[in-house]
Structure formats: C-alpha cells, structure tokens
Amino acid sequence: MRSGAVGWESVTEPDRQIARWVEETPFVDTHEHLIEESQRLSGAIHPRTLPCNDWAYLFRSYAAEDLVVAGLPASDLRRFLGPDIASQEKYRLIAPYWERIRHTGYAQALRHTFRGVYGEEDLTAESLPRIAEKYRETVQPGFYARILDLANIKGCHVNSLQRIFMETEQPDLLDHDISILQLCRCSAADFAWLEAETGRRPTTLDEWLEVIDFYFATYGAKAVAVKSQIAYSRALDFEPVTKAHAARLFPHHADRVGALHALGPEDLKALQDYLFRYCVGKAGEYGLPVKLHTGVLAGYGVMQLARTRSMPQTSAVCCRSFPKLDSS
C-alpha cells in the first residue's frame, strides 16, 4: 500500500516496513502482452492491439471486463475503447460502473497508475481532463523504460498477441516468449495464423512438426521462455500419445479446418496432447522454461469452474511428466 492510499494512517509500523521492503524490491515482470513502443508512439489505430490512443486504453486489459460485469453494455464498452468519441463522453459512459468496480484488483491497479504515473488519486469528473492530458504527455520516446523504472521492474517478459514470436526493438528492456498456443491447439484460426506467418498450410503431421521445428530453430536462441494459454480452452492433462496415432488424426483435421473442432473432443484432445508434449520437448532442447496459464481470469462469462478447480492437480501431473524442464 503506497503512502497516498486510503487507510495508510491506520497501518502499523511493522506493516509499513513490509510495504517499504516490497516497494524497494526490484523484480522481473514475467507476464505482459505489450505491443512495441513504436506502435504506441505512432498512434496508428488497430482493432486488436491499439483500439484507441487515449486514457481509455489503460482499461483494455483487464478492467474493461470488470465494467461489463458491473453492468456496462457491451456496445458501450466498444464505444469506450474505440477512437471515435470524445474523452468526456467516454467518462460519462463508464462513470456509474467505475464506482462499482474501483475496489476490484484490476481497478486498484489502475488507481495505482493514476497515482504513481499521473499524480491523481482517482478517476473522477474533475481529475479526468488532467489524466487525459498526462496520458498524452507520457507517451513519448523512451516511456516504456521510464515507466518500468518507476515501477522498479528490471526486466519484462512479453507474450505477443501479434506473432508467435516478436523480435522486439528493445531487446535490453523486453524479452519475448515463443507462444505455443497456435502450435498445439489446432483450431481453424491457428491454421490461418500459421499460413499468414509462414506461407505454409500443413496437411500432414510431419509438415506441422516442420513448422514447429522452424519456430524453435529460428527463435529458440532469442526467446526467454515458452508460453501456453491453452488452459482457457481445456484442462492441462496432456497424456502421452504416440506419433502414429497423432499422424492418423491430423490429415482428417487438416482437411476440414473450415469447421472448428472437426475432430471429436477425444480425438482433438489426443492431437493437442501430442503437439503440446512435442513443443515442450523442443523447449527442453533449447533450454527454455515453460510458462502455463493455470486459470481463466480474462474475459467474462467463460470461467469453467470444474476445470479451474482441477487445474492445480492436472498442472502438477503435467510438470511431473517433464522432470528436467523448468516449468513456472
């Protein structure tokens, strides 16, 4: 709790000391989806990576979803995160819902930003114009390094949502993961993603494995880790599957990528199991740790409670399957 936070006066001295130690401790941020600083500086609107270039962008991950859960209509959220309405109108859209979420974890992170970066205690009708102006003033060359230094972050791991591996313009500041989600999930979107990046559309398992090998051979020495977010769509119970069995499943799936989950759930799981374990094996070859999402905390209305409840057990079994690999 920073000294400007509500209730600081009632905190005991030992708690104050612990807070000071936390504030003074440098750390490495191992989970970010940052786009390149040059993209932020250009201000070029992109529906996925930079839907707006104003203070509303701070809500995009993940306080925006809290606003919807609190009652903000999804259509108003799209307007709020879009580039087409004025700053004050954006504030009027979310003001009633901000009052409902301002104590959630995501909103408190935003309030720390308002306080620590912009010098404002909270988002209000009065503070909004100053926050909007300070947002614009902050987005200047070198601001990624300045903000990370302000937060006492000495390094940052980025899981790009734009490419399987992003070659950063700031290698001294940002390290990147190889995202294996598209390499082992095998949805129609993943086939399209790989074709766009590599120009290849595999129709056999061996051809798909050649694509995986390409990514590790090209980027394995540049990556800091391997990352999988497949927990959003399935449990982490990756059982051993023979290559022969996976090879029989793959052509049927590849021929019908226009329909999601062309394979039945058991066959799709088996194919994913094989590909995940293959990717993890490649991570071991290149000495890369593996990061696994173990819950579903982005979005809304999608949490599979039974699967989430079993995630600690299934992820522990998964980690034990690779005793020589650094899993985190």
Side-chain angles (χ1 to χ4, degrees):
M1 182 184 297
R2 294 183 182 273
S3 57
V6 175
W8 180 254
E9 300 81 4
S10 63
V11 175
T12 66
E13 182 53 36
D15 287 339
R16 289 172 186 261
Q17 181 59 62
I18 291 171
R20 285 192 290 268
W21 285 333
V22 170
E23 294 285 345
E24 294 167 0
T25 302
F27 66 98
V28 174
D29 180 354
T30 62
H31 182 160
E32 289 297 339
H33 300 298
L34 292 171
I35 63 176
E36 289 294 298
E37 182 181 281
S38 61
Q39 292 181 266
R40 294 286 303 278
L41 294 175
S42 74
I45 299 301
H46 186 282
R48 180 172 173 81
T49 59
L50 193 66
C52 62
N53 191 27
D54 57 50
W55 63 274
Y57 182 72
L58 299 172
F59 279 75
R60 182 172 175 269
S61 299
Y62 298 91
E65 288 137 357
D66 279 355
L67 291 171
V68 174
V69 172
L72 178 70
S75 58
D76 284 348
L77 177 65
R78 288 191 292 272
R79 295 180 65 211
F80 172 68
L81 292 177
D84 299 326
I85 62 175
S87 187
Q88 290 288 351
E89 177 62 19
K90 289 192 172 194
Y91 177 75
R92 284 192 289 271
L93 278 177
I94 70 161
Y97 309 102
W98 173 248
E99 287 303 310
R100 299 175 187 176
I101 74 163
R102 57 192 298 272
H103 296 294
T104 67
Y106 292 144
Q108 290 209 54
L110 268 180
R111 290 165 65 194
H112 278 297
T113 299
F114 297 148
R115 185 181 305 117
V117 180
Y118 307 134
E120 299 290 342
E121 284 299 311
D122 205 344
L123 176 64
T124 65
E126 180 184 3
S127 70
L128 169 68
R130 296 191 296 269
I131 289 173
E133 180 60 28
K134 289 171 184 174
Y135 174 93
R136 289 190 292 270
E137 292 173 353
T138 298
V139 182
Q140 301 294 332
F143 82 104
Y144 272 22
R146 290 194 296 273
I147 289 179
L148 291 178
D149 183 64
L150 178 66
N152 209 6
I153 296 173
K154 300 307 178 187
C156 188
H157 294 189
V158 178
N159 171 211
S160 174
L161 299 180
Q162 297 169 270
R163 296 184 62 85
I164 288 176
F165 182 85
M166 178 70 74
E167 295 201 64
T168 179
E169 301 163 358
Q170 298 177 286
D172 293 336
L173 186 69
L174 306 178
D175 290 305
H176 275 256
D177 303 323
I178 295 175
S179 177
I180 62 171
L181 177 65
Q182 291 81 11
L183 301 177
C184 60
R185 184 176 53 185
C186 276
S187 71
D190 299 326
F191 276 80
W193 185 306
L194 292 186
E195 185 174 19
E197 283 203 10
T198 67
R200 301 180 63 177
R201 194 176 185 86
T203 57
T204 67
L205 179 65
D206 280 333
E207 290 176 353
W208 189 271
L209 298 183
E210 287 174 5
V211 171
I212 294 175
D213 292 346
F214 160 79
Y215 278 106
F216 278 91
T218 306
Y219 303 117
K222 301 176 182 180
V224 69
V226 164
K227 178 72 172 288
S228 174
Q229 313 98 311
I230 204 167
Y232 277 91
S233 59
R234 55 159 288 170
L236 300 181
D237 54 339
F238 299 102
E239 299 173 319
V241 173
T242 67
K243 182 179 180 180
H245 182 43
R248 286 193 296 271
L249 296 173
F250 191 92
H252 171 75
H253 189 62
D255 288 343
R256 299 181 55 199
V257 295
L260 285 173
H261 306 300
L263 294 174
E266 291 185 5
D267 285 341
L268 180 61
K269 178 183 180 302
L271 181 58
Q272 291 176 344
D273 288 355
Y274 177 82
L275 291 172
F276 175 86
R277 294 175 75 92
Y278 185 86
C279 287
V280 172
K282 298 299 290 187
E285 289 180 26
Y286 285 85
L288 295 172
V290 175
K291 304 176 190 175
L292 299 176
H293 267 282
T294 56
V296 184
L297 291 177
Y300 51 90
V302 296
M303 183 173 285
Q304 302 293 323
L305 293 179
R307 190 169 72 224
T308 302
R309 184 174 62 247
S310 68
M311 203 66 75
Q313 177 184 355
T314 55
S315 58
V317 171
C318 178
C319 290
R320 285 199 297 270
S321 298
F322 302 94
K324 296 182 180 180
L325 195 68
D326 180 8
S327 300
S328 55

